[in-house]
Amino acid sequence: MDSQTSQSSQASQSPHTFQVDLRGLVDLLSHHLYSSPKVYLRELLQNAVDAITARRAEQPDSPALVRLFADGGTLRVEDSGVGLTEADVHNLLATIGRSSKRTDGLQEVRSDFLGQFGIGLLACFVVAERIRVVSRSARTPDAPPVEWTATDDGSYTVRTLPDAERPEPGTTVHLVARAGAGEWLTKEKVLALARDFGALLPYDVRVDGEAITDLPAPWDRSYPSPSTRRVALARHCHELFGFAPLDSIDLSVPLAGIRGVAYVLPGAVSPARRASHRVHLKGMLLTERAEQLLPDWAFFVRCVLDTDSLRPTASRESLYEDETLAAVREALGERIRAWLTGLAAGDPERLAAFLSVHHLGVKSLARHDKEMLRTMLPWLPFETTDGRVSLEEFAQRHPVVHFTRTVEEYRQVAPIASAQGIGVINGGYTYDGELVEALPSVRPGTVVAELDSDTVTAHLDSVDPAEELALADFLAAARAKLDPLGCDVVLRAFHPLSVPALHLGDRSARHEQARAEAEEQADDLWAGILGSLRGSAPRARLVLNHLNPLIRRISSLGDRDLIGTATESLYGQALLMAQRPLRPADSALLNRAFIGLLEWATHGEGDH
């Protein structure tokens, strides 16, 4: 009984083999793995190239020919490669979907040959309803030619043929177009796809007798002079990407098996936009949309390169993210960084032309690279009260480098600060604030300070105490009107005279204002919590310019209500000048002040 139980247990635990639905596998590979039907031709070319590579590893003098013939309904692809025996064909299909551990035969030359060949053939069902392969082995000359025929329902047959069917080693693939896919097998389409995918292949590839390879690659050719090379690469860029580049950057990294070129875009692009590049793998175009090839900061270039070290994904349409790709990305970034450094050292005019378009990309790089920041200091443009100048030039002029965190703060104080002799940099644009703060690390002795309302106010001239005392009633009425808005009123004398009032409110003041507004609208518990957070942060200030004629006239008014309306108008105008977003209370104030002034003006007309 125990013996029977043991045998039964062993039988129930014996392994089972998965039953693979070949038709489902065909559908998965041909319709879901690839992004476009056009990849079928790339897979056919890759199979032919792999077969020739395998044969030449053993027979270096063997022919290296790939011939394609298309008529719209059928396509025939012939290669002079290593070919297959009947056993190879069966093993080929057996390895689809799993890795093979074989170390003999074709795989000792190229470990991924069979898997690629099998998957590549199935990919042809995107455009074909029937595939017929006739092959003769170069490794086993006495073996007869073998024919493998498959249809898109998942069935296939294998048989041997008379020697006359394929007298020479190699493989011929015949495709018969599926309904509605005939356009993919026309001569024009096949020729265009073959040129796109195979222009850099190392073998003789022809479509109906027309050569499609174009070697050596444009970046590997010899040119009479650097200017001639630049013109030729610019033409290549225009043909490939559709734009004339500002410049071209050599991307040769021999240790990583990479040769190529980066083209600098002639117009500005968003740093958030993912750049796409063309990557060839051992001559075959792998993808036109490689996004992870370069560091994120290098969004101002488009690359085309050939590599034999990077690893493709299963669909062979993108790159596998691994340590090799990370190392290549860093190496290519170094090439672009070296190009920038070279321009700074030897070609300032071209550098200036580049920075006028792509300063954002360089600033992004300089944030994390002190050497790049140090190199670019004389060149990177910043908006300042001295105009658009570099950080180096600005720091030479001003003992303290003041900057604002936002564009609104800069616009608010720039005219006043400039008139008072305070140098200010607009740090509100992308990366600018970070770079200004990093300035002392590459320029020792530089003093950098964020500009706040206290600093601006301190540089404005005080009004004579006797004059300010005489205006005490006016200031009291103005302060009473703006106090509910969390804004103080001060009187100063400053230039330019045309500015009647200046609204100063740094971030801490705005935070306190937002907290106070939230406290007013909160329930008792939440109001108590917000109240406990109340700090001694300075309130916003409306600085009235005692030198301005309008302020002098308003300050002489005896009507307290009219003073209040005028103060609200000055407050609203100062907010608008600062281009600061208006709160609902501010919008209501502007409307109220406008209507009040209209009523006062029309009332005065009626009296006359």
Side-chain angles (χ1 to χ4, degrees):
M1 182 68 177
D2 291 342
S3 176
Q4 291 178 350
T5 302
S6 175
Q7 292 176 357
S8 175
S9 175
Q10 291 176 358
S12 65
Q13 295 178 7
S14 61
H16 299 277
T17 303
F18 282 107
Q19 299 301 309
V20 177
D21 180 357
L22 185 57
R23 184 170 188 171
L25 182 61
V26 167
D27 180 70
L28 174 67
L29 294 175
S30 63
H31 293 95
H32 301 286
L33 186 63
Y34 301 106
S35 62
S36 167
K38 69 180 182 180
V39 298
Y40 89 91
L41 193 68
R42 182 196 64 197
E43 297 298 337
L44 287 176
L45 287 175
Q46 187 67 64
N47 290 339
V49 168
D50 285 346
I52 293 172
T53 301
R55 183 177 181 185
R56 283 206 152 186
E58 297 182 359
Q59 304 172 17
D61 296 331
S62 62
L65 308 174
V66 181
R67 299 290 183 263
L68 296 89
F69 305 91
D71 64 11
T74 63
L75 173 66
R76 184 170 86 254
V77 182
E78 300 178 352
D79 70 64
S80 58
V82 70
L84 303 169
T85 64
E86 183 177 4
D88 289 330
V89 169
H90 285 291
N91 287 329
L92 164 71
L93 294 176
T95 60
I96 292 176
R98 66 178 178 87
S99 62
S100 172
K101 303 300 183 184
R102 292 178 56 197
T103 57
D104 60 328
L106 299 173
Q107 292 195 354
E108 68 184 9
V109 176
R110 186 172 180 134
S111 62
D112 57 352
F113 176 79
L114 287 178
Q116 288 180 1
F117 191 87
I119 291 177
L121 280 180
L122 293 184
C124 292
F125 282 118
V126 174
V127 299
E129 66 177 12
R130 184 164 63 89
I131 303 173
R132 176 172 172 258
V133 179
V134 177
S135 188
R136 183 163 194 156
S137 174
R139 192 176 275 119
T140 312
D142 296 336
V146 60
E147 176 192 70
W148 176 77
T149 304
T151 58
D152 59 2
D153 65 0
S155 63
Y156 70 92
T157 59
V158 179
R159 67 188 180 103
T160 57
L161 300 175
D163 288 349
E165 288 285 336
R166 178 81 200 194
E168 299 295 329
T171 300
T172 302
V173 179
H174 302 262
L175 301 186
V176 177
R178 65 166 58 248
E183 63 170 311
W184 292 101
L185 272 62
T186 62
K187 176 183 176 182
E188 293 76 13
K189 178 67 75 172
V190 170
L191 181 61
L193 292 178
R195 282 177 172 161
D196 197 35
F197 285 120
L200 301 184
L201 290 175
Y203 303 134
D204 183 0
V205 183
R206 297 175 183 269
V207 176
D208 287 335
E210 192 167 343
I212 63 101
T213 52
D214 186 20
L215 293 176
W219 52 84
D220 284 331
R221 296 172 190 168
S222 298
Y223 297 95
S225 66
S227 60
T228 306
R229 183 177 193 270
R230 189 177 298 120
V231 170
L233 290 178
R235 186 184 308 115
H236 175 249
C237 176
H238 193 273
E239 293 171 354
L240 207 59
F241 295 116
F243 65 84
L246 286 178
D247 204 353
S248 56
I249 307 169
D250 179 53
L251 295 182
S252 175
V253 187
L255 292 178
I258 285 178
R259 291 285 300 165
V261 63
Y263 294 116
V264 182
L265 291 166
V269 293
S270 168
R273 180 182 174 184
R274 297 289 291 183
S276 56
H277 313 285
R278 288 176 64 96
V279 177
H280 295 255
L281 182 61
K282 299 182 180 179
M284 182 70 69
L285 178 65
L286 180 70
T287 178
E288 301 171 276
R289 299 184 300 275
E291 294 184 345
Q292 67 273 51
L293 188 65
L294 295 181
D296 290 340
W297 55 261
F299 55 81
F300 50 83
V301 298
R302 294 291 180 271
C303 297
V304 54
L305 54 83
D306 188 23
T307 175
D308 58 16
S309 63
L310 298 178
R311 177 183 168 192
T313 58
S315 67
R316 296 174 57 76
E317 294 188 89
S318 58
L319 298 172
Y320 189 81
E321 185 67 49
D322 56 11
E323 292 181 357
T324 302
L325 179 57
V328 165
R329 183 161 49 234
E330 184 176 347
L332 295 181
E334 285 295 332
R335 293 293 183 276
I336 298 174
R337 183 184 286 108
W339 169 77
L340 283 170
T341 305
L343 286 187
D347 200 339
E349 289 186 2
R350 286 172 65 200
L351 178 63
F354 166 75
L355 288 178
S356 68
V357 179
H358 295 299
H359 56 273
L360 205 56
V362 180
K363 286 181 177 180
S364 175
L365 170 60
R367 288 183 305 153
H368 308 294
D369 189 323
K370 289 186 178 180
E371 283 304 313
M372 181 55 62
L373 177 57
R374 185 178 289 108
T375 301
M376 290 293 130
L377 273 180
W379 308 102
L380 287 175
F382 287 77
E383 183 179 0
T384 78
T385 49
D386 294 349
R388 287 190 68 80
V389 299
S390 69
L391 288 182
E392 177 65 30
E393 184 178 352
F394 188 86
Q396 289 175 357
R397 296 179 184 177
H398 300 278
V400 177
V401 177
H402 287 103
F403 73 101
T404 62
R405 292 282 183 185
T406 67
V407 175
E408 290 78 10
E409 289 174 354
Y410 176 80
R411 289 171 177 166
Q412 175 184 349
V413 302
I416 309 302
S418 179
Q420 312 310 312
I422 307 173
V424 185
I425 297 176
N426 185 354
Y429 293 119
T430 306
Y431 311 133
D432 284 8
E434 296 176 70
L435 293 177
V436 174
E437 289 185 292
L439 191 54
S441 67
V442 295
R443 196 178 188 276
T446 303
V447 179
V448 172
E450 182 178 352
L451 188 69
D452 55 27
S453 58
D454 287 337
T455 304
V456 177
T457 306
H459 279 77
L460 305 180
D461 293 335
S462 297
V463 178
D464 180 84
E467 292 189 45
E468 187 166 1
L469 183 60
L471 298 175
D473 290 342
F474 160 70
L475 293 174
R479 287 165 182 156
K481 180 59 70 172
L482 296 187
D483 184 67
L485 297 172
C487 183
D488 291 333
V489 177
V490 296
L491 188 66
R492 292 288 187 274
F494 56 88
H495 293 273
L497 300 179
S498 58
V499 177
L502 175 65
H503 183 274
L504 295 178
D506 56 23
R507 286 179 300 157
S508 58
R510 291 197 296 275
H511 290 166
E512 173 62 19
Q513 188 177 61
R515 185 209 58 76
E517 291 175 356
E519 182 180 355
E520 290 179 1
Q521 300 172 7
D523 56 32
D524 292 341
L525 174 60
W526 188 236
I529 295 174
L530 291 172
S532 68
L533 298 176
R534 183 185 298 112
S536 58
R539 287 158 43 106
R541 297 184 182 94
L542 181 67
V543 184
L544 303 180
N545 188 358
H546 187 53
L547 301 180
N548 180 266
L550 177 61
I551 296 298
R552 286 182 175 272
R553 287 197 296 270
I554 293 174
S555 65
S556 65
L557 293 172
D559 187 334
R560 192 177 180 88
D561 291 337
L562 185 55
I563 290 175
T565 300
T567 302
E568 288 181 329
S569 300
L570 291 169
Y571 173 83
Q573 188 263 352
L575 284 180
L576 293 175
M577 290 297 293
Q579 300 185 26
R580 190 178 302 286
L582 298 180
R583 301 169 297 162
D586 298 329
S587 299
L589 175 145
L590 278 172
N591 289 330
R592 185 170 64 248
F594 179 71
I595 297 299
L597 289 176
L598 281 178
E599 289 180 347
W600 177 80
T602 54
H603 178 70
E605 287 292 330
D607 288 346
H608 291 298

